[in-house]
Amino acid sequence: MDINKNIDELNTFFIFKRFTKNQRIEAANIAKVSKNLEELKENLKWDDKYKNIK
């Protein structure tokens, strides 16, 4: 996923999920290897740090 082209979509997603600043940075790093927003959601589910985020 190209973060620069999808910055508005990612910001909306981060706000909706109520991510902290540090969580946003880590999620952005995961977004770099994700193909799209749906894959990002799946990748975050696999990350132990985000298991409690609904």
Side-chain angles (χ1 to χ4, degrees):
M1 170 182 271
D2 187 358
I3 293 175
N4 294 328
K5 291 182 180 177
N6 297 304
I7 194 74
D8 291 333
E9 186 176 9
L10 284 172
N11 279 334
T12 303
F13 176 71
F14 294 158
I15 291 168
F16 177 75
K17 290 291 190 174
R18 298 182 179 177
F19 282 1
T20 64
K21 183 179 179 181
N22 289 335
Q23 287 173 323
R24 290 177 190 200
I25 292 169
E26 291 179 30
N29 288 330
I30 294 171
K32 290 178 185 178
V33 297
S34 302
K35 294 179 184 174
N36 54 35
L37 191 60
E38 292 303 316
E39 187 173 310
L40 172 60
K41 291 176 186 177
E42 289 296 318
N43 290 341
L44 289 174
K45 285 182 184 178
W46 282 96
D47 194 325
D48 290 336
K49 298 171 192 162
Y50 299 99
K51 284 188 178 178
N52 295 326
I53 297 174
K54 297 178 182 176

